Amino acid sequence: MSQGVSVEEARMLRVPKKIMTPTLCVLVFILNMDITIANVALPSLSSLPDATDAKLQWVIASYALAAAIAVIPSGALLDRYGPRWVLTCAALLFGVASLAAALSPSTTAVIVSRVVMGLGSSAILTGSIATLTLHYQDRKKARAFGLWSACAAIGLSVGPLVGGWLLSVATWEAIFLVNVPLSLFAAAAVASAVPASKGLNESRLDIKSIFVLSLVLLTGIAGLIELGAGRVPSSILMATCCVLFLVLFLVRQQGAGPKLIDFKVLRSGTMLAPLFILVVLFTVMAVMLFLLPSSFELGLGRGPLVSSFYILPLPLGIAAATLLGGYVLHSLPATASMWISLTAVAVGLLVVMSQDPTIPSSVTLIGLACVGIGVGIGQPVALQAAVGAFPPAQRGVGSGFVNSIRLAANAAGAAIAGGAVALTMAGTASSLGTYSLVDGASSCRVLRAANSLADAGGLCATYLNGVKLTFLLAFVLVAVAVLAISIRAIISRQGRAAAVSTNNAQE
């Protein structure tokens, strides 16, 4: 693809945006609704015969990890065949996989189905972001991304309510069945709203780099989950493999032959800084969405529907911030917006850490809203900046790379959350026996209702310590991000000042 706008692109730009943009928003709404539905259903899925803490982590992580692995090939397909074909097939695949998940007889089968769902979601995410990047410029692009992000956040907010209601009137299978008609509708909408196109980029696809990057993500997430399960030797092995595959990937991007990504882009602070912010934001959000729905449901003992209402401030905060951010904060530099975002998330984490995670209070809800507002402000800004660092010919692959890292952060967040709590319980409560995360949260309800179990107090305290430790780790990650972006801003300012000084001297 040339640096200018091709004849095919010019024809695509004439597509009525009033039809195309809502269609893309519907697709991302479906994907994000499914994420929070699955989190709410974890206690119900724990009743499956082969359910363990590690497998419940994989139910969440497998979806995001499969999407992270497949999102770059999806971007390459998008560059080659255009958005209509890729998005339509992806929506259909997502629907079929959702049906398979509903018919699964075991946790293992659910995980396999979630992997296939992740493959479909990867192409939807990549296609929607790359299409918005193509069709909008400047302030309109910021508002389009804000609307897209808001629909994603609304999906997150509706997910707990829909999932809680479905679980209160039906079994867990219903949370996957609801995706089937929505996916069929989305596929039909894409076929009518997005134009057919092909040949946008006929360059050779670097299959080897994609495979190596997939191994980096897979071994990294697997290592975190293995560590949480107490299998330290296999965790070390996975971590070692992850580092080796990462080195191999970076070396390949500098060598001769086809490359997945220009190494200059990988080294560019223009891409790395906002990408790191995305990683931090999605890791924090995944940590909270993995732990709190189950903690609220099991700690209160009032069912998934009631407990799901207490999660709403987080996604509603994201939705409000993304809707208003494109209008209120568009004049601010990207660095300022990301700094405000991280500060809000840090404050929210401190507030949530100060409360009992099994009893949602008004203070907890304020903390969740702060985290949501921070994510809502930072996500669209960082996403635009990271994808915009890639040249026009790599729109699809660039969007895929950024989203693969972002989705891997989501999978890592679930793995970190489950692993940190499990390790705390295994190390502190070893004298109490072997207990799962479900046992830990449930023991707090038992202790409050009637102290009928001798070990309920100790087990509950251990579980609470594990959850708060996880939130503390998330806070440290946010603090590192604030420091990194501040240092980056100082370096950039000094670079601009040096450039101005050089120009004045030459004149």
Side-chain angles (χ1 to χ4, degrees), residues 139-472:
R139 184 177 299 180
K140 291 184 177 179
K141 181 189 291 186
R143 292 179 178 176
F145 269 96
L147 179 61
W148 183 87
S149 298
C151 290
I154 292 171
L156 288 173
S157 63
V158 170
L161 294 177
V162 173
W165 176 76
L166 288 173
L167 290 171
S168 66
V169 299
T171 57
W172 62 265
E173 290 87 350
I175 66 171
F176 297 113
L177 287 175
V178 71
N179 293 329
V180 178
L182 292 175
S183 299
L184 294 177
F185 167 78
V190 167
S192 61
V194 179
S197 59
K198 63 180 180 179
L200 300 180
N201 188 346
E202 298 294 341
S203 60
R204 181 181 172 186
L205 186 61
D206 187 5
I207 299 295
K208 292 182 180 179
S209 291
I210 292 174
F211 178 71
V212 174
L213 182 59
S214 300
L215 291 177
V216 172
L217 301 176
L218 178 61
T219 53
I221 303 302
L224 289 173
I225 293 179
E226 288 295 288
L227 179 62
R231 294 185 283 268
V232 178
S234 60
S235 175
I236 295 175
L237 176 61
M238 290 293 102
T240 303
C241 291
C242 178
V243 173
L244 292 176
F245 288 135
L246 177 60
V247 171
L248 180 60
F249 174 77
L250 294 176
V251 169
R252 181 170 176 80
Q253 302 316 299
Q254 299 181 74
K259 299 178 179 64
L260 182 63
I261 298 171
D262 188 347
F263 193 74
K264 292 180 180 179
V265 177
L266 288 177
R267 295 175 57 187
S268 170
T270 306
M271 191 274 291
L272 287 179
L275 181 62
F276 181 55
I277 302 305
L278 280 175
V279 168
V280 171
L281 293 177
F282 276 83
T283 300
V284 171
M285 188 167 62
V287 164
M288 305 194 83
L289 287 176
F290 182 86
L291 289 177
L292 292 182
S294 298
S295 291
F296 291 166
E297 178 181 346
L298 297 170
L300 293 172
R302 299 174 63 184
L305 179 58
V306 174
S307 60
S308 66
F309 278 97
Y310 295 108
I311 305 297
L312 283 180
L314 175 61
L316 288 180
I318 299 175
T322 49
L323 282 172
L324 297 177
Y327 295 91
V328 178
L329 300 175
H330 62 79
S331 60
L332 291 178
T335 299
S337 295
M338 287 186 280
W339 193 88
I340 293 172
S341 164
L342 292 170
T343 301
V345 172
V347 171
L349 281 170
L350 287 175
V351 171
V352 173
M353 275 192 292
S354 69
Q355 304 298 304
D356 185 338
T358 62
I359 309 177
S361 65
S362 57
V363 177
T364 303
L365 302 185
I366 293 173
L368 289 173
C370 285
V371 173
I373 291 171
V375 173
I377 292 173
Q379 176 189 252
V381 174
L383 190 59
Q384 289 177 67
V387 175
F390 289 86
Q394 288 190 328
R395 280 194 193 100
V397 171
S399 173
F401 177 80
V402 171
N403 275 287
S404 69
I405 304 301
R406 180 177 67 87
L407 289 166
N410 189 73
I416 290 171
V421 178
L423 285 175
T424 302
M425 294 178 65
T428 306
S430 57
S431 61
L432 303 177
T434 302
Y435 292 96
S436 66
L437 274 63
V438 172
D439 296 327
S442 299
S443 68
C444 294
R445 183 185 72 249
V446 172
L447 179 65
R448 286 192 297 269
N451 194 13
S452 58
L453 295 180
D455 62 349
L459 183 58
C460 175
T462 302
Y463 174 79
L464 296 180
N465 289 337
V467 173
K468 291 187 177 184
L469 173 62
T470 307
F471 289 156
L472 179 60

Side-chain angles (χ1 to χ4, degrees), residues 23-37:
T23 299
L24 299 178
C25 289
V26 168
L27 284 168
V28 75
F29 170 86
I30 296 171
L31 299 184
N32 282 271
M33 183 182 71
D34 187 73
I35 292 173
T36 45
I37 281 182

